[in-house]
Amino acid sequence: GVGSPQAPYSLVPSSFLPLADPGTRLGAFVLDSVAVAIPWFMLMGLATATASEAMVGLATLAMFFGPALYFIACWASGGQTLGARALGLKVVRSDGSNVGVGSAIARCIGLYLCLCMFIPGMFGLMYMLWDNKKQGLHDKMGDTIVIHR
């Protein structure tokens, strides 16, 4: 009722959590991709303008590790990236509890595998279309689900 505290997600069976649809999840990922790309493009612009090999090396490292650190930090510290927050989504463990660093790392590795192995990886991402918990391979690897908050 009105004024009654909401139970923590960890006390709610996962079958009752409001699972996010794949389209909204894709939208959040696109927003996150833009958020990650902007600083990288700025760094590449600086590297090009200064003709610095060290800056190019730094930008190359940032291209790989920057997104990983961004996603892992966001998932492990509240379950929401900027894109997820904008679209009202949250990543939680399949039991409804908060995502820890280990689950966030496993989920990120799964996401990188799906994105790097293009054709087989797309099946890993598309698995959420027919999975009863709407989990992709990366969700299964991290034991996570994405919910509407």
Side-chain angles (χ1 to χ4, degrees), residues 13-40:
S14 63
S15 59
F16 293 113
L17 293 173
L19 298 173
D21 64 278
T24 306
R25 292 179 63 172
L26 177 62
F29 183 74
V30 169
L31 291 173
D32 288 325
S33 296
V34 170
V36 168
I38 290 171
W40 182 79

Side-chain angles (χ1 to χ4, degrees), residues 1-133:
V2 176
S4 62
Q6 181 181 4
Y9 289 123
S10 61
L11 300 179
V12 179
S14 63
S15 59
F16 293 113
L17 293 173
L19 298 173
D21 64 278
T24 306
R25 292 179 63 172
L26 177 62
F29 183 74
V30 169
L31 291 173
D32 288 325
S33 296
V34 170
V36 168
I38 290 171
W40 182 79
F41 279 116
M42 292 171 59
L43 192 57
M44 279 304 291
L46 183 61
T48 303
T50 61
S52 167
E53 288 183 27
M55 287 297 290
V56 171
L58 180 62
T60 303
L61 285 174
M63 181 175 67
F64 184 78
F65 291 109
L69 291 174
Y70 167 77
F71 284 112
I72 291 167
C74 288
W75 293 332
S77 66
Q80 290 185 296
T81 60
L82 294 174
R85 184 169 296 150
L87 298 181
L89 303 179
K90 183 176 181 177
V91 178
V92 296
R93 297 285 307 265
S94 63
D95 65 0
S97 63
N98 290 330
V99 175
V101 174
S103 288
I105 290 171
R107 189 172 198 268
C108 189
I109 290 170
L111 182 60
Y112 270 51
L113 287 173
C114 288
L115 295 174
C116 292
M117 298 187 321
F118 188 66
I119 298 298
M122 289 300 113
F123 288 113
L125 292 172
M126 290 176 17
Y127 189 77
M128 72 179 75
L129 296 173
W130 56 83
D131 184 71
N132 64 341
K133 289 185 179 180

